[in-house]
Amino acid sequence: QVQLVESGGGLVQAGGSLRLSCAASGLTVKNYGMAWFRQATGKEREFVAGMNWSGGMKNYTESVKGRFTISRDNVKNTVYLQMNSLKPEDTAVYYCAADHPWTPVVTVSASAYRFWGQGTQVTVSS
């Protein structure tokens, strides 16, 4: 019954911006830890950005700090990833993930997340 559906990926030139959306059903995002992961071809899935259930804590992988912002709209039950100053090395499939209800901290381990979307491709050209 739980579904996470990503959208907003595409092809963008280096230095450009994209906003990814994760529309949730079957769960209320304001009650869950939520995160974005990415997986480039031939590489392991890696943590990108996450927020705890209250929204008071946000964590980012070092390579995206200052460029990416995770946020949510509780009315729309949607989580976003605003990506600015994109680089070719940001190219990957980006996945939305939900941890567990009321998780007080952000975990970077993919194995901890219970629900996953199907992913959206982001390609950054040089």
Side-chain angles (χ1 to χ4, degrees), residues 34-77:
M34 303 294 298
W36 290 92
F37 288 76
R38 66 187 180 189
Q39 188 166 17
T41 301
K43 300 184 68 175
E44 296 292 317
R45 188 168 299 187
E46 68 168 339
F47 174 85
V48 178
M51 63 192 310
N52 72 333
W53 76 273
S54 72
M57 178 181 294
K58 297 180 180 179
N59 288 348
Y60 301 90
T61 193
E62 189 68 27
S63 64
V64 309
K65 287 182 178 178
R67 300 190 297 122
F68 291 10
T69 303
I70 187 171
S71 63
R72 71 185 184 212
D73 185 324
N74 293 336
V75 174
K76 295 182 178 180
N77 204 36

Side-chain angles (χ1 to χ4, degrees), residues 2-4 6 22 24 27-29 31-37 51 79 95-101 103 107 109-117:
V2 172
Q3 288 189 333
L4 303 175
E6 302 98 332
C22 173
L27 65 82
T28 302
V29 299
N31 293 334
Y32 281 74
M34 303 294 298
W36 290 92
F37 288 76
M51 63 192 310
V79 178
Y95 298 91
C96 177
D99 194 342
H100 291 80
T103 48
T107 180
S109 175
S111 64
Y113 287 81
R114 184 177 181 183
F115 302 110
W116 293 85

Side-chain angles (χ1 to χ4, degrees), residues 8-24:
L11 176 64
V12 65
Q13 293 182 347
S17 298
L18 287 173
R19 189 179 75 160
L20 305 184
S21 298
C22 173

